[in-house]
Amino acid sequence: QVQLVESGGGLVEAGGSLRLSCAASGRTFSSYVMGWFRQAPGKGREFVAAITLNGIKTTYADSVKGRFTISRDNAQNTLALQMISLKPEDTAVYYCAARRLVVSTTAGDYTYWGQGTQVTVSS
């Protein structure tokens, strides 16, 4: 089992940057595929990015490709999402999530979730 806690959200102007972090408890962080999802008001949970167990392979939603970078540090049990060139449409609650085995872009495939951190991008 793993517990996840996100941090780093906030209010930023369009074009700005933010770095989200996700701290994981437990000794088996490196056994989990990690993902970032987001949910805007009135919308479903949307895939943002995912990273493999060893951090070598990453997958991104088309809407964030080239602007967001997912990374992990298995020694520190942390996951990060560096976001640049932020747009108002990036406004959402951002969640980190964990699952076994393989990368998935489907929220329902993830077993563990953090509580979320709010990102608001003003125009």
Side-chain angles (χ1 to χ4, degrees), residues 30-114:
S30 60
S31 301
Y32 291 91
V33 167
M34 299 300 297
W36 285 100
F37 290 78
R38 66 188 181 185
Q39 189 165 15
K43 295 189 176 182
R45 200 158 291 192
E46 174 190 26
F47 170 76
V48 175
I51 190 166
T52 53
L53 302 179
N54 56 14
I56 291 178
K57 287 195 67 176
T58 56
T59 304
Y60 296 93
D62 287 343
S63 59
V64 307
K65 206 170 290 185
R67 299 188 298 122
F68 291 10
T69 303
I70 187 172
S71 61
R72 68 188 297 163
D73 184 337
N74 286 343
Q76 298 294 323
N77 284 8
T78 57
L79 176 74
L81 185 69
Q82 179 68 48
M83 307 184 293
I84 65 171
S85 302
L86 283 161
K87 305 175 181 180
E89 51 264 44
D90 294 319
T91 295
V93 177
Y94 283 70
Y95 300 88
C96 66
R99 74 182 303 263
R100 293 286 194 179
L101 300 177
V102 298
V103 166
S104 172
T105 61
T106 303
D109 289 341
Y110 286 76
T111 308
Y112 302 105
W113 292 84

